[in-house]
Amino acid sequence: MSRTDKSLNDWLEYIQSIHRRTIDLHLDRVRRVLHRMSYVRPNWVVTVGGTNGKGSTIAVLESIYRQAGYRVGAYTSPHLVSYCERFRIDGEDVDESHLLAAFSKVEKARSDISLTYFEYTTLVALSLFQSARIDLALLEVGLGGRADAVNAITPNIACITSIALDHEAWLGNNRELIGREKAGIMRFRGRVVVNDPDPPCSIHDRSSLLCCQLRRVGADYTYATAMQEWSWQANTDSWVDGRSYGHLPLPNIPGPLKEHHAAAALAVIESMQAELSVSEESIRTGLMGIRLQGRTQVFEGTVERVLDVAHNPAAVKNLVAYLEQRPSVVQAHAVFSMLMDKDIASVVKVIDPVIDCWHLSELEGDRAVPIGELQDAVTTYGSGAVFRYSDPISAYRGALGHAKPGERLVVFGSFQLVGAILSITDSDSRTGLNG
């Protein structure tokens, strides 16, 4: 089949097959293909890394910069329902025709260079943004930072959202090692925003070594929430030209950390203000116009459904905090699955106090945890009844069948799981399949 005859599904199957390893962290392959593509980066690039909160931070930046009149491209991963979600230009997912053209361009340039799925996808994003002539690219790091494909592009500013245990097999088994990998997105004399209130020393050490202009939450900027508004303050001792904002509307992001994620975005915006001017009005309007799926997303009904892509202990703790703030229910059901490189035991321990019944599904792909291992983890580290299903949608429908009116259903553990269920929630709501 020629390149021009391939459908999007054909391309996705193809790019999963051309490299011997799913994850292979090196930058040389991506850089070589970029050179062959005669790639020209946008005028402005923001790279966002960290363990949790990357997607939320990019969503805030995207909304505010678009309100300020800039042409913005946003690259995030993974997707929930459609592969096209990974690439947004001017707030809209790219259409398949543009994707197919970008795939052909990357394929022609790569020739004999083997690429992983994520490397290929990153190159497609960069090609799309170049063709669209965007002003600003917002790039989310996929895994780690130092050797992630996104790091082939030098940013104007880097943002590190948080450091927590995740992907330990690739990044290290403690926060210092993981922080060192995340800090790899910094550049010599570059600008860096660190939104972790207690970052590991490896972050500061790397920033000092590279003589970076560092902005830290709690030191160089702070934020506070009161009732239905919040404020953001620049520390004038360390940030002479930083503005402060009071009586801001709450960011249109669900969950207990919405102001925290938005605070990182405002620190980036203030750091870039001299080059990319943003008015206070654009900030206020942008905070209310954010669109983000799958983060403590609630569907009301006789059975309340909460969908969250939380897939590591730190993110699940935030999910538990959110659930504990909501009205109590007699019983809560979990629809749950994870990938192999995750700390399943710790995740189950964290959320078990708010879950009464487990509905387990095996995911697709080589990284999926077998259903038997999932059940072993839940029965060992959790409590309550356990049911097994062949796929996410069966698990979701099974959980709805067991749940009684007034109970809660929590879907979490994987983007793949939440995405599969999000793909049917609209039709279920229309047909009354909401418990």
Side-chain angles (χ1 to χ4, degrees):
M1 184 182 296
S2 70
R3 290 195 295 267
T4 56
D5 293 332
K6 283 190 174 81
S7 67
L8 178 56
N9 285 335
D10 292 332
W11 276 112
L12 296 182
E13 290 179 6
Y14 174 69
I15 67 174
Q16 286 177 322
S17 68
I18 60 175
H19 195 75
R20 67 187 185 279
R21 298 171 64 182
T22 304
I23 299 173
D24 190 7
L25 299 176
H26 295 282
L27 292 179
D28 61 306
R29 295 185 299 272
V30 173
R31 285 171 172 158
R32 287 162 61 197
V33 178
L34 283 172
H35 178 72
R36 292 181 179 182
M37 289 168 59
S38 300
Y39 174 72
V40 179
R41 73 188 285 280
N43 288 332
W44 307 106
V45 174
V46 179
T47 298
V48 181
T51 305
N52 298 310
K54 299 188 295 291
S56 297
T57 302
I58 283 182
V60 179
L61 287 168
E62 180 184 18
S63 183
I64 291 174
Y65 275 120
R66 289 191 62 240
Q67 284 295 328
Y70 297 103
R71 186 164 169 79
V72 180
Y75 171 49
T76 59
S77 64
H79 61 273
L80 285 168
V81 179
S82 166
Y83 181 80
C84 297
E85 297 169 23
R86 294 176 180 238
F87 323 93
R88 292 192 303 278
I89 297 173
D90 273 349
E92 299 294 332
D93 298 347
V94 299
D95 59 47
E96 288 195 14
S97 63
H98 291 129
L99 261 180
L100 297 180
F103 273 116
S104 294
K105 182 176 180 179
V106 173
E107 181 65 11
K108 181 179 179 180
R110 89 167 181 90
S111 182
D112 58 340
I113 298 174
S114 179
L115 297 171
T116 67
Y117 180 94
F118 184 77
E119 288 170 342
Y120 210 118
T121 298
T122 301
L123 288 162
V124 165
L126 297 174
S127 175
L128 287 165
F129 294 164
Q130 182 175 358
S131 297
R133 298 183 179 181
I134 61 171
D135 301 313
L136 168 67
L138 305 174
L139 306 179
E140 178 183 346
V141 172
L143 177 60
R146 177 185 57 84
D148 184 85
V150 164
N151 204 33
I153 305 301
T154 297
N156 296 88
I157 186 168
C159 177
I160 297 176
T161 57
S162 67
I163 306 297
L165 297 180
D166 198 6
H167 300 291
E168 291 99 318
W170 297 98
L171 306 179
N173 58 6
N174 61 65
R175 292 181 77 241
E176 289 296 335
L177 292 174
I178 293 173
R180 187 174 299 125
E181 289 294 319
K182 305 288 187 185
I185 64 175
M186 299 179 186
R187 294 297 193 272
F188 180 67
R189 296 193 183 280
R191 289 172 286 191
V192 183
V193 168
V194 175
N195 204 47
D196 189 315
D198 184 25
C201 294
S202 55
I203 295 286
H204 185 269
D205 291 346
R206 184 66 178 171
S207 173
S208 296
L209 179 67
L210 295 177
C211 304
C212 293
Q213 182 187 84
L214 178 64
R215 307 296 193 196
R216 301 159 298 164
V217 67
D220 301 298
Y221 63 95
T222 57
Y223 65 94
T225 304
M227 302 298 289
Q228 294 302 307
E229 61 183 30
W230 68 297
S231 60
W232 188 95
Q233 300 85 31
N235 183 342
T236 54
D237 291 335
S238 57
W239 199 336
V240 177
D241 55 349
R243 298 177 294 184
S244 293
Y245 305 95
H247 308 290
L248 291 169
L250 294 178
N252 188 31
I253 306 172
L257 295 180
K258 53 179 170 283
E259 298 93 343
H260 183 74
H261 300 321
L266 289 190
V268 169
I269 288 167
E270 288 306 302
S271 297
M272 298 273 283
Q273 182 67 15
E275 302 101 312
L276 288 173
S277 178
V278 175
S279 69
E280 183 170 344
E281 181 181 359
S282 294
I283 290 173
R284 293 180 178 279
T285 306
L287 287 169
M288 295 183 290
I290 303 162
R291 294 187 300 165
L292 192 64
Q293 283 194 310
R295 280 73 168 179
T296 49
Q297 187 170 357
V298 178
F299 292 86
E300 304 288 354
T302 54
V303 173
E304 179 188 79
R305 293 154 293 159
V306 180
L307 280 64
D308 196 299
V309 295
H311 54 270
N312 56 59
V316 173
K317 285 179 184 177
N318 294 331
L319 172 58
V320 170
Y322 177 77
L323 294 173
E324 290 177 339
Q325 292 174 2
R326 297 190 65 76
S328 60
V329 294
V330 175
Q331 191 167 36
H333 300 256
V335 177
F336 176 61
S337 194
M338 295 190 78
L339 298 177
M340 280 186 175
D341 57 350
K342 306 299 179 183
D343 186 353
I344 302 175
S346 295
V347 162
V348 173
K349 289 177 185 177
V350 167
I351 202 168
D352 184 65
V354 298
I355 298 298
D356 303 290
C357 184
W358 296 80
H359 302 263
L360 309 181
S361 165
E362 189 169 324
L363 301 174
E364 294 182 354
D366 296 338
R367 295 172 61 204
V369 175
I371 192 74
E373 291 184 23
L374 276 175
Q375 183 170 359
D376 289 344
V378 169
T379 55
T380 301
Y381 302 104
S383 58
V386 178
F387 299 90
R388 295 169 45 152
Y389 304 85
S390 59
D391 59 85
I393 292 175
S394 296
Y396 174 65
R397 294 270 169 81
L400 283 176
H402 280 86
K404 296 180 175 60
E407 296 183 347
R408 175 179 294 141
L409 194 158
V410 183
V411 181
F412 78 104
S414 166
F415 273 82
Q416 186 179 337
L417 176 74
V418 172
I421 292 168
L422 271 176
S423 69
I424 66 166
T425 49
D426 287 342
S427 61
D428 277 3
S429 297
R430 287 193 298 269
T431 57
L433 294 175
N434 60 357

